[in-house]
Amino acid sequence: MSKNIKTNVGRMLDSKKIKYNIYDYEKTGAIGGVEIAEILGQNPKRVFKTLVTVGKSGKFYVFVVPVEKELDLKKAASAVCEKNIEMIPQKQLLPLTGYIHGGCSPIGMKKFFTTTFDKTAENFERIFFSAGKVGFQVEVNVCDIQKIIKFNFADITV
């Protein structure tokens, strides 16, 4: 655990006086979500990845799913009332969100997009996701995330 590292995610959580932990796995070279969960000694069902999509309408959506699962595009589209959605091209991620691939967090994007967490997040008091920088994960109470961003829960994984 590393308290010295401050990311935009950490600063936003601090501004709302939300308790959290930031974990540094930068020096491990881990890149896959399941591998990161193992390094953190956590159940992969509690470690989430952030995915950015675009709907047929042209609107962007954020989906937060367990690292061991895949986003079901049909279920995700249904959850946000779109006819269909697709992943955005990786080159659009940084200009759109301010985050790079592997460091994308649902908290602290350049602007807010409709956000949906997989319903399995409700099974845990605290979950992990990117702290907004490659090599760093944040652990936070699921209920506290609502103090920073608005989101819904839905069945969005395969």
Side-chain angles (χ1 to χ4, degrees), residues 9-20 107 144-149:
V9 173
R11 285 187 276 282
M12 290 182 81
L13 293 167
D14 286 344
S15 75
K16 298 289 185 182
K17 297 183 179 14
I18 295 171
K19 291 182 182 178
Y20 65 95
I107 296 174
D144 285 340
I145 301 167
Q146 289 279 14
K147 296 174 185 173
I148 304 267
I149 60 168

Side-chain angles (χ1 to χ4, degrees), residues 87-138:
M87 298 299 297
I88 65 166
Q90 191 171 324
K91 68 181 184 213
Q92 285 184 2
L93 189 63
L94 180 61
L96 183 68
T97 67
Y99 289 126
I100 63 169
H101 181 74
C104 190
S105 178
I107 296 174
M109 291 190 182
K110 283 184 176 182
K111 67 180 263 191
F112 176 77
F113 301 107
T114 298
T115 303
T116 304
F117 278 68
D118 186 68
K119 69 177 185 173
T120 60
E122 293 179 290
N123 298 337
F124 304 102
E125 183 179 338
R126 298 175 68 78
I127 62 170
F128 294 77
F129 51 82
S130 175
K133 184 176 178 187
V134 175
F136 299 89
Q137 291 278 305
V138 65

